[in-house]
Amino acid sequence: MWLTPEEVSVKNALKLWITEKSNDYFILQRRRGHGDTGGKISGLLVGALDTVLDSNARVAPFRILLQVPASQVSWVIASGATVEEVQKHWKWLDQNLLPYMSVFENKQDAASFVQGKVKGLIAEEVLCGQAALEDDPARFREVLARFEQRFGLPHQEKLVAHFSCCCWKGRVPRQGWLYLSINHLAFYSFLLGKEVKLLVPWVEVTGLERTSLGLMTDVIRVRTRQRQRDFSMFLNVEEVMTVMSQLADIALRRLLDSGGFEVDKSLQLATNITKRVLEKQALRQYVLSLFGLPRSENLQEMMSCSMWTPHARCHTPGKLYTTDNYMAFCSRLEGQCTLVIPLAEVQSIEKAESTSALPNPVIISVKSKKAFQLIELQQRDELVENLTERLRALHWRQAMFRGQNQRKKSLISPTPYYTFYYDTTSPEENEGVSDEAVRNTVLTESLITTFQSDQSQTTAIKASSEQLKVRLWEDHFEEFGRGVHMFKTDKIRKLVAMGIPESLRGEMWLTFSDACSSLAAHPDYYTDLVCRSMGETSVATEEIERDLHRSLPEHAAFQNQTGISALRRVLTAYAHRNPNIGYCQSMNILASVLLLYTREEEAFWLLVTVCERMLPDYFNHRVIGAQVDQSVFEELIQERLPSLAENIPDLSPLASVSLTWFLTLFLSVLPFRCALSVLDCFFYHGIKAVFQLGLAVLEANATELCSSSDDGQALMTLTSFLEQVRDDMEPCMCAEEAGPAGHTHITALINDAYEKFGDLTVRQLETMRCRHRIQVLQNHEDTTKENTLRLVSPDVSLSQEDLSGLYDLFKTEHFISLYWGDGVRPAPPKPEPARRGYTESYHVDCAQFKSLYMLLTAWSCGSHTDTMAQRAFRLLDQDHQNRISFTQFAHWLDTLYCEDFNEKVRLLYRLHIPPALTENEDQSSLKNPILSTTRPLYVDLPNGERKSYEEQLKQMLKDLAKEKEKGQEKTLPHMKQREFVQFCKTLCSMFHEDPAENELFQAIAMVTSLVLQIGEARHKGRPSGAEPEVDEPSNQAAPSSSEAESDWTVSFEQILASLLTEQALITFLEGPVDLSAKISSAKERQYQMRDKLLMIQHKTR
């Protein structure tokens, strides 16, 4: 490998390097101790020094130096892991550079000429390799060479980062290097002659955590199902932990739950992932979560600045973030002051005159005739130029859309299919409206304007309280603005905690969540979607129909067809919009509440915002997002409520209760009025509000929970507490309902949650989510495996241990093709679980099955093994989908290792008839077996009696016929002569290099002769006119198309009976094979087997 010229001292280097050859300008050296077989102490010390100092010599013990005559300074220009590699570079230098060195009069010029040539060679290699995307390509190229040399993984394995660290084995640390690639965590160490290599796939990692180990702090513990590893002595442990968590999270999302997660576009192609890309992705995820922006947004710029805040009458320092369609500002203290400005609301972005008081100012004008001022922007010109360009493109798209929409409306019939229904009449007056008319009506007002669930809400006290709240909000709007670009400060947080007035609730939900931007950007989208979705039936629509009448059944709006029809349309439209989610339970409860306070179209966009932006991954078929937050909540209990965690060692029951809290946002556990206040906080703070409120609920009941005798009592305590929480306008009726002082009213509970747990930040939650998602996905994987084995094990005789090992091999084979998918075609997508069940989680294609076949088969056939693997795959692929499941794979191995002689012969027989054996299959790979029909056919019985094969065969056929009559076996098609020849070839290949090879060949020759005679007898006995004779069947190297051969057949029973006459064949096929040993060996060789296949395929391209 060519190296960037690095200056070394020849005098000092000679202590560690031995010169092999040299000339006037170049020196080829070998590292001291390399190649010594006696384990000399000098070699051990040099090797350990190389590893600790990250020297190239550990991987490349040969190097070439560029020297200037009469100088003590030289430059390393090349290195090699083998003599052949370094000799190749030496030969190139000798042929291409050395002849021209005499042209230079100045020797320094000659050295500069060589250095320039070497740098040019490196640049060419970098442009074509992984290092091209790195910040320091030359340095990364050297690290990549060490990684590939040490672990032998294919070139497709993308290295992302590497760190110097210690790996602990008990109390003994081993200094080395940690390599983090796309699919693996690897560690390498070489100390005092002992080499340590660890290679852990990310899909096997079940947990990552920072812990302490004795006196060592900041230790990263990596857990797998088998063991745990501790790594320490990092220069920046936070950076390492972040990269490890991200890589594990990406790998598990991509490999374990590709159907449930949407992987970011920048991470879908693994070869593009670098450390820099991961840092950008982490920042982007934080920004999207902090401001509640759409998941499709890409972060464009981030810079420090100060914004004029009129309410504070000063410039507030913070950071400005810009994305594709938004500008967002956050103060230095997270949550103190935030602002979101959609570019769709911006009219102009202008640079103002810079002064000492207002350096580099920028004025942003919005459509509501307001302006925002930013100062202290270091890259003001570039920012304004980029924003202006994006704004111009956005305005052009909006103009194009408006034009298309107008043309579309001009073509629509003047009588629309859906009318707009202003529901201003009472429910009784609507009884005359037909069900079909109500079903095909889009509501343009919220349901709460018509239906009131409780008339007591209209009392004077309630009205007075609402008026007071409205005045406070109006005052706030005058000071902080109104709309999506409203300043969010601590003052508005207090207003939200008091409860949003009902007249403003829908507007504020749309504003806080920014659903209003989606609504404005997609006019008529919902109406068109309703037109397309209504009348369609699917699994989602069936589930929606079942849950319609379970959605707030106590509310008058959903005791009426108007509310039910609106809910049906919203849920069905969303299922049509996002089939990956479709419909999930708890969506009906959320949508019904949204319909109460917003118009139908607004409720739809709020549902879209919650499902796709505010609660990502919550509403898939396994509610992964909610389970991740449930696991995060359990960790927060341990951190924020230590006394509760000490008294309740197992917090999983409490965390399990929280799953309902997260899925329904407390709507199903709190009284309706109180749950509305929680929903207000959720739309303002995001999921952080649910975490804070959950901790406050547990803290309020900590004493009762600690004294609970069992989990049931603890759950009853929490349920009772939540049921007794009251709205501020609903005083408790009696002392027993009051509960703990200060926590009976929802406003007090919300304020208490913020005061005690308000320091919980979005960044902390995102970091914890990333770590806990690994654990949740692995738990699902364990459950899938348990269910698969439970369903498969009753039908096979394999032990649970062997079955588990086979499942791991099968899964790993599936993953390997996903790791390096450009070499081997990936397995097809997972089928729907509802239709196929747990056993279909993973599939392998033909190439993957061949690899497993060669690792596990009990019938090694030499060069014929690949052909047998191809036939076995065709036999198992009954649906012709070019894939097989683990169930089919396990049944095949069960026959191979656990079934009796008859079933093994049946499997062999089926491998030599269609569909396993095809007409165009190449048959020249093996020699024909020695077939003879002239040998005497006798069998020696155990009692010493000598009996003819014909008599013995007749008796065996009678016995097999009796078993057939009992229905124990299915009738198989007869085997033709061509197929029988292939059958004999396979048997002969199986006996090669067996200790009893000669005896087995003799036995198969006897069986073959007997079967050929039987086939000839069957053929001659048919009344079909003149029968052609087959004089020498042994000389037929390939099947003929003659009529004689097409009529020649033999049955499975006849072949089985013939094989039963030879004890040697019975002993061979029934001989025990240690499957456990095969599985253990396969796990060690699986990567190497697939690596060879990748190399072969790469060479054939």
Side-chain angles (χ1 to χ4, degrees):
M1 179 178 69
W2 297 109
L3 302 176
T4 303
E6 181 180 355
E7 186 175 307
V8 296
S9 174
V10 177
K11 181 177 180 181
N12 294 329
L14 290 176
K15 296 179 181 179
L16 301 177
W17 293 88
I18 301 173
T19 299
E20 297 287 328
K21 61 172 66 175
S22 64
N23 53 40
D24 291 342
Y25 288 94
F26 304 108
I27 303 174
L28 192 154
Q29 295 182 332
R30 172 177 61 84
R31 191 67 163 175
R32 184 179 298 276
H34 178 75
D36 294 342
T37 58
K40 296 181 180 179
I41 187 65
S42 60
L44 298 179
L45 291 174
V46 171
L49 182 64
D50 291 337
T51 300
V52 173
L53 298 180
D54 190 28
S55 170
N56 286 326
R58 180 58 205 150
V59 175
F62 297 94
R63 72 177 184 179
I64 297 176
L65 300 181
L66 167 67
Q67 65 173 356
V68 177
S71 174
Q72 292 296 320
V73 177
S74 298
W75 295 267
V76 181
I77 59 174
S79 64
T82 62
V83 176
E84 292 76 12
E85 182 183 358
V86 77
Q87 287 286 2
K88 179 181 177 181
H89 292 327
W90 179 268
K91 184 178 179 180
W92 188 90
L93 292 170
D94 186 60
Q95 293 177 354
N96 295 279
L97 294 186
L98 191 62
Y100 305 100
M101 303 295 282
S102 59
V103 176
F104 296 94
E105 296 181 0
N106 188 332
K107 302 303 179 182
Q108 292 293 338
D109 293 342
S112 299
F113 168 73
V114 174
Q115 292 178 24
K117 282 290 185 181
V118 171
K119 291 179 180 179
L121 293 173
I122 294 174
E124 291 180 8
E125 292 182 7
V126 166
L127 289 175
C128 302
Q130 295 184 20
L133 301 175
E134 302 297 327
D135 294 332
D136 188 355
R139 167 65 176 163
F140 189 84
R141 176 174 163 271
E142 298 174 11
V143 175
L144 180 62
R146 299 192 199 112
F147 173 69
E148 293 177 349
Q149 177 70 22
R150 287 168 175 171
F151 298 98
L153 297 176
H155 294 292
Q156 293 90 337
E157 183 68 10
K158 179 73 170 62
L159 180 64
V160 176
H162 70 291
F163 304 94
S164 174
C165 68
C166 282
C167 178
W168 291 79
K169 185 177 181 181
R171 297 180 177 273
V172 180
R174 297 194 67 85
Q175 179 66 36
W177 288 87
L178 182 69
Y179 298 90
L180 305 179
S181 68
I182 292 297
N183 302 302
H184 298 86
L185 176 151
F187 176 80
Y188 180 86
S189 175
F190 183 87
L191 290 175
L192 300 179
K194 187 173 182 180
E195 186 178 56
V196 175
K197 290 183 181 180
L198 299 178
L199 188 65
V200 182
W202 289 119
V203 290
E204 295 298 326
V205 173
T206 59
L208 294 170
E209 63 175 323
R210 288 178 60 178
T211 184
S212 299
L213 189 66
L215 298 177
M216 297 297 302
T217 58
D218 289 334
V219 175
I220 296 180
R221 177 164 294 167
V222 181
R223 285 195 173 94
T224 63
R225 291 179 176 84
Q226 290 75 30
R227 60 181 307 171
Q228 65 183 31
R229 298 282 185 179
D230 294 327
F231 300 91
S232 66
M233 303 292 289
F234 293 102
L235 186 62
N236 187 341
V237 67
E238 188 67 35
E239 176 188 13
V240 180
M241 186 67 180
T242 301
V243 175
M244 291 174 71
S245 300
Q246 286 181 286
L247 288 174
D249 181 42
I250 293 170
L252 291 173
R253 282 171 174 259
R254 182 166 55 96
L255 301 175
L256 291 188
D257 203 78
S258 57
F261 286 116
E262 292 184 4
V263 181
D264 186 76
K265 292 181 180 179
S266 62
L267 306 177
Q268 288 179 350
L269 188 59
T271 54
N272 290 339
I273 298 178
T274 63
K275 185 179 175 183
R276 182 172 52 192
V277 169
L278 291 179
E279 292 173 352
K280 289 183 178 179
Q281 173 62 16
L283 178 60
R284 170 182 173 274
Q285 187 66 35
Y286 166 70
V287 171
L288 298 186
S289 299
L290 177 63
F291 298 103
L293 303 182
R295 299 286 152 176
S296 58
E297 291 294 305
N298 295 305
L299 184 63
Q300 299 293 343
E301 293 99 5
M302 179 189 72
M303 56 188 66
S304 299
C305 67
S306 294
M307 172 169 279
W308 175 254
T309 49
H311 57 275
R313 302 190 182 280
C314 66
H315 285 89
T316 301
K319 286 190 175 181
L320 175 71
Y321 304 90
T322 66
T323 66
D324 300 333
N325 299 290
Y326 290 87
M327 300 173 61
F329 173 82
C330 181
S331 58
R332 289 178 181 175
L333 180 62
E334 181 181 304
Q336 182 182 25
C337 179
T338 59
L339 174 69
V340 176
I341 306 175
L343 286 182
E345 295 291 320
V346 175
Q347 282 190 326
S348 64
I349 302 174
E350 302 173 345
K351 293 183 289 186
E353 183 180 356
S354 180
T355 65
S356 58
L358 300 175
N360 297 328
V362 172
I363 306 299
I364 302 170
S365 302
V366 296
K367 294 179 180 178
S368 60
K369 299 181 180 180
K370 292 181 59 178
F372 300 92
Q373 184 188 69
L374 297 170
I375 63 172
E376 299 176 350
L377 290 162
Q378 297 298 324
Q379 299 175 342
R380 180 181 66 164
D381 296 341
E382 181 181 354
L383 173 67
V384 172
E385 181 180 353
N386 293 339
L387 286 174
T388 303
E389 182 178 351
R390 290 202 290 274
L391 187 61
R392 189 182 301 115
L394 177 63
H395 288 166
W396 180 82
R397 289 196 301 269
Q398 290 176 338
M400 291 293 294
F401 180 81
R402 283 194 296 269
Q404 292 176 358
N405 196 35
Q406 290 175 358
R407 289 192 297 271
K408 180 179 177 181
K409 288 182 177 180
S410 65
L411 299 175
I412 296 177
S413 170
T415 304
Y417 179 71
Y418 287 93
T419 60
F420 291 92
Y421 176 62
Y422 294 87
D423 196 354
T424 58
T425 58
S426 64
E428 291 77 8
E429 294 175 348
N430 286 331
E431 291 180 358
V433 183
S434 67
D435 292 343
E436 187 65 23
V438 174
R439 182 184 293 269
N440 295 336
T441 298
V442 175
L443 301 181
T444 56
E445 287 195 4
S446 62
L447 293 174
I448 201 69
T449 59
T450 304
F451 302 95
Q452 293 290 341
S453 60
D454 188 357
Q455 296 300 324
S456 65
Q457 296 174 2
T458 60
T459 61
I461 299 178
K462 177 67 177 178
S464 175
S465 174
E466 285 293 304
Q467 292 174 3
L468 176 60
K469 288 182 180 180
V470 169
R471 285 198 300 271
L472 291 174
W473 278 88
E474 293 293 344
D475 294 341
H476 183 273
F477 292 150
E478 292 181 4
E479 185 177 2
F480 294 87
R482 187 167 187 169
V484 68
H485 39 67
M486 172 176 54
F487 283 101
K488 298 178 183 178
T489 63
D490 189 63
K491 183 176 181 180
I492 195 171
R493 180 199 64 78
K494 294 177 180 178
L495 289 176
V496 171
M498 294 170 57
I500 301 175
E502 291 200 351
S503 59
L504 298 174
R505 178 165 277 139
E507 177 190 347
M508 290 299 98
W509 286 356
L510 289 164
T511 299
F512 293 151
S513 64
D514 191 43
C516 54
S517 296
S518 301
L519 175 64
H522 301 87
D524 300 328
Y525 174 86
Y526 175 70
T527 306
D528 295 340
L529 196 61
V530 170
C531 292
R532 296 196 304 267
S533 62
M534 292 302 291
E536 294 187 358
T537 58
S538 63
V539 176
T541 56
E542 293 175 1
E543 293 177 350
I544 289 171
E545 290 297 328
R546 285 199 301 266
D547 288 348
L548 283 177
H549 296 278
R550 305 174 188 172
S551 309
L552 298 184
E554 71 282 355
H555 201 286
F558 299 99
Q559 298 170 359
N560 183 282
Q561 190 61 34
T562 303
I564 294 294
S565 297
L567 181 60
R568 177 188 293 110
R569 288 191 295 271
V570 169
L571 294 176
T572 304
Y574 184 79
H576 189 80
R577 164 191 165 86
N578 192 342
N580 290 332
I581 292 178
Y583 171 75
C584 180
Q585 285 188 348
S586 76
M587 288 173 63
N588 60 318
I589 300 176
L590 178 61
S592 60
V593 176
L594 299 178
L595 282 167
L596 289 176
Y597 292 95
T598 59
R599 294 184 295 111
E600 186 174 323
E601 186 177 13
E602 294 172 341
F604 169 78
W605 284 111
L606 274 172
L607 183 65
V608 170
T609 302
V610 171
C611 294
E612 299 177 9
R613 191 190 304 186
M614 303 184 72
L615 298 177
D617 306 323
Y618 260 59
F619 300 100
N620 54 31
H621 66 280
R622 295 195 295 185
V623 292
I624 296 292
Q627 294 187 52
V628 170
D629 283 347
Q630 174 189 344
S631 184
V632 170
F633 186 65
E634 185 174 348
E635 181 180 343
L636 288 174
I637 295 174
Q638 296 174 342
E639 291 183 358
R640 302 303 181 101
L641 303 173
S643 59
L644 183 63
E646 291 176 2
N647 287 276
I648 306 178
D650 184 12
L651 294 172
S652 55
L654 294 180
S656 298
V657 176
S658 68
L659 183 61
T660 305
W661 301 351
F662 287 103
L663 275 175
T664 66
L665 304 175
F666 283 93
L667 286 170
S668 63
V669 295
L670 279 172
F672 181 70
R673 305 298 308 174
C674 300
L676 289 176
S677 296
V678 176
L679 209 55
D680 295 341
C681 296
F682 167 74
F683 279 115
Y684 180 75
H685 290 287
I687 195 62
K688 182 173 68 171
V690 181
F691 280 107
Q692 293 171 344
L693 188 61
L695 291 172
V697 169
L698 295 182
E699 195 266 346
N701 294 272
T703 304
E704 291 81 355
L705 292 174
C706 292
S707 60
S708 299
S709 57
D710 53 31
D711 296 338
Q713 184 179 352
L715 300 184
M716 289 297 295
T717 299
L718 292 176
T719 303
S720 176
F721 174 82
L722 291 171
E723 289 176 348
Q724 294 170 2
V725 177
R726 292 289 181 267
D727 184 47
D728 290 354
M729 295 298 103
E730 298 180 62
C732 296
M733 301 300 297
C734 59
E736 287 77 6
E737 294 184 1
H743 296 286
T744 54
H745 291 123
I746 187 62
T747 301
L749 187 62
I750 292 174
N751 286 327
D752 189 56
Y754 185 81
E755 291 173 4
K756 294 181 178 178
F757 309 107
D759 58 336
L760 185 64
T761 64
V762 172
R763 191 182 296 274
Q764 291 173 341
L765 287 178
E766 287 301 318
T767 302
M768 296 170 73
R769 275 177 164 178
C770 189
R771 287 190 290 105
H772 284 274
R773 191 179 294 112
I774 299 170
Q775 179 183 345
V776 170
L777 285 175
Q778 291 290 17
N779 289 340
H780 273 278
E781 182 64 20
D782 291 340
T783 302
T784 301
K785 179 179 178 180
E786 291 173 4
N787 290 327
T788 301
L789 299 186
R790 188 181 68 252
L791 294 175
V792 173
S793 56
D795 300 328
V796 298
S797 302
L798 298 168
S799 67
Q800 284 295 316
E801 182 180 356
D802 288 343
L803 203 57
S804 175
L806 291 174
Y807 182 90
D808 293 339
L809 282 173
F810 191 87
K811 183 179 72 171
T812 301
E813 194 64 38
H814 170 85
F815 286 156
I816 287 175
S817 288
L818 295 181
Y819 293 163
W820 311 307
D822 56 345
V824 178
R825 183 168 52 83
K830 302 177 186 178
E832 295 180 10
R835 191 173 45 131
R836 298 299 297 250
Y838 289 105
T839 58
E840 309 297 331
S841 296
Y842 300 110
H843 293 79
V844 295
D845 61 14
C846 187
Q848 298 162 345
F849 177 77
K850 282 184 179 181
S851 177
L852 290 171
Y853 185 98
M854 294 180 181
L855 290 168
L856 296 170
T857 182
W859 297 337
S860 179
C861 301
S863 60
H864 193 50
T865 303
D866 185 77
T867 303
M868 289 296 294
Q870 182 76 37
R871 293 177 187 171
F873 181 81
R874 284 198 293 263
L875 180 63
L876 296 175
D877 184 23
Q878 300 175 358
D879 298 331
H880 305 289
Q881 296 183 356
N882 196 32
R883 64 181 185 182
I884 63 172
S885 66
F886 176 73
T887 303
Q888 297 167 315
F889 179 73
H891 281 94
W892 167 69
L893 281 176
D894 182 62
T895 302
L896 211 60
Y897 282 93
C898 301
E899 290 291 352
D900 57 15
F901 178 81
N902 291 15
E903 290 302 318
K904 291 180 180 179
V905 175
R906 176 182 288 270
L907 176 59
L908 268 176
Y909 184 93
R910 295 180 65 194
L911 289 172
H912 294 85
I913 60 175
L917 183 68
T918 59
E919 291 292 336
N920 57 353
E921 186 172 313
D922 183 18
Q923 302 158 19
S924 59
S925 58
L926 289 174
K927 296 181 179 179
N928 277 335
I930 302 174
L931 308 180
S932 174
T933 61
T934 61
R935 298 182 58 180
L937 299 178
Y938 296 100
V939 60
D940 294 326
L941 299 177
N943 58 7
E945 180 184 354
R946 194 177 192 190
K947 193 175 182 179
S948 70
Y949 271 97
E950 184 179 357
E951 296 175 359
Q952 178 74 5
L953 186 60
K954 287 181 180 179
Q955 182 63 39
M956 290 181 176
L957 287 173
K958 289 181 181 179
D959 297 338
L960 291 172
K962 292 179 181 179
E963 293 182 4
K964 184 178 179 181
E965 291 175 359
K966 298 178 182 179
Q968 296 180 0
E969 298 177 356
K970 290 184 179 181
T971 302
L972 293 174
H974 284 202
M975 182 179 282
K976 299 179 181 179
Q977 186 173 4
R978 163 187 171 269
E979 297 163 354
F980 177 67
V981 171
Q982 293 297 314
F983 181 84
C984 296
K985 288 180 179 181
T986 299
L987 287 176
C988 291
S989 66
M990 290 166 58
F991 305 149
H992 185 59
E993 296 184 356
D994 189 271
E997 181 177 355
N998 293 333
E999 185 180 357
L1000 289 169
F1001 273 117
Q1002 185 74 9
I1004 194 59
M1006 295 287 288
V1007 170
T1008 304
S1009 300
L1010 177 59
V1011 174
L1012 287 173
Q1013 288 186 359
I1014 294 172
E1016 291 172 11
R1018 287 174 55 89
H1019 176 53
K1020 291 178 180 179
R1022 293 178 182 174
S1024 57
E1027 299 90 351
E1029 294 183 2
V1030 183
D1031 295 331
E1032 295 182 354
S1034 60
N1035 295 329
Q1036 296 179 5
S1040 170
S1041 61
S1042 66
E1043 183 183 351
E1045 187 167 319
S1046 63
D1047 292 341
W1048 188 100
T1049 61
V1050 65
S1051 68
F1052 164 71
E1053 290 78 10
Q1054 291 166 336
I1055 289 180
L1056 176 60
S1058 302
L1059 292 172
L1060 285 170
T1061 61
E1062 290 293 337
Q1063 185 60 40
L1065 295 176
I1066 297 174
T1067 303
F1068 176 83
L1069 291 176
E1070 288 191 334
V1073 182
D1074 189 354
L1075 179 58
S1076 300
K1078 282 269 188 183
I1079 293 173
S1080 299
S1081 175
K1083 288 181 178 179
E1084 297 176 359
R1085 298 168 49 210
Q1086 193 170 18
Y1087 269 46
Q1088 288 74 15
M1089 181 71 70
R1090 295 294 278 169
D1091 190 16
K1092 292 177 182 177
L1093 180 61
L1094 285 166
M1095 293 177 63
I1096 292 173
Q1097 292 181 349
H1098 181 71
K1099 291 178 180 178
T1100 56
R1101 289 179 179 175

